[in-house]
Amino acid sequence: MNSNAFFDILNEAASASARAGAAADRGESRDGAWRALPLAGRFEIVYEDSRGVWSTRFLDARELRLGPGRTLLGGIALGGDPARRGGYRGFRVDRIRRLAEEGGPRMKAGILDWLLARAEAQRRERAALVRDLARRNRPRTRAA
């Protein structure tokens, strides 16, 4: 069983979203709901844990989770410590001290803004691909 802060947050978010869904049915707002943005990429991150210890982590990113007062970068752990390898991990973006993409930029500041922009760009690419496929598969009508 995975017992780390990320899964606890997800469980809390799931129960909160269920309550918010019921509230939305009654016409109430959904403040405090988590939102997940798909994000793909392989990153090397320098992360500061809750005790202030810095470590280098490798991540095959899957999503960016936006919640009330907190943003998490989630994905599959690669390399590094065998105890952490292969499992789904979530990292608080405010604790990422340096982020480097495979074959891409290395940054120490503006990490959240860069991740949000990348997620939006990937969303636009996927939407354009879906539109192109829909156009290609659309039945053509011929004038008789």
Side-chain angles (χ1 to χ4, degrees):
M1 180 78 183
N2 289 324
S3 62
N4 64 26
F6 185 72
F7 287 101
D8 293 340
I9 291 169
L10 289 180
N11 291 335
E12 290 173 18
S15 64
S17 67
R19 289 189 305 267
D25 292 342
R26 294 187 306 266
E28 298 172 13
S29 72
R30 295 184 51 178
D31 291 335
W34 285 76
R35 229 176 62 163
L37 302 174
L39 177 69
R42 288 183 173 230
F43 302 107
E44 174 186 343
I45 62 175
V46 175
Y47 188 73
E48 181 180 356
D49 68 11
S50 61
R51 297 170 297 173
V53 177
W54 290 30
S55 61
T56 302
R57 315 281 181 94
F58 299 92
L59 185 73
D60 186 12
R62 300 286 194 246
E63 65 185 354
L64 194 59
R65 286 196 163 269
L66 307 170
R70 192 169 284 172
T71 302
L72 303 173
L73 174 62
I76 307 299
L78 304 171
D81 183 12
R84 296 179 179 163
R85 187 179 312 140
Y88 190 88
R89 303 277 301 170
F91 298 97
R92 286 178 47 177
V93 174
D94 62 324
R95 290 187 179 168
I96 297 175
R97 300 298 170 225
R98 187 173 64 231
L99 180 125
E101 184 181 17
E102 244 180 34
R106 170 175 254 137
M107 63 197 68
K108 292 181 180 180
I111 293 171
L112 176 59
D113 293 335
W114 186 84
L115 288 170
L116 287 169
R118 182 171 170 93
E120 177 63 19
Q122 288 179 357
R123 184 197 64 77
R124 277 192 235 116
E125 288 173 9
R126 283 190 299 274
L129 179 62
V130 168
R131 278 193 307 273
D132 290 345
L133 288 173
R135 282 188 200 121
R136 199 175 307 151
N137 293 333
R138 188 180 324 155
R140 300 178 196 267
T141 58
R142 294 185 181 180

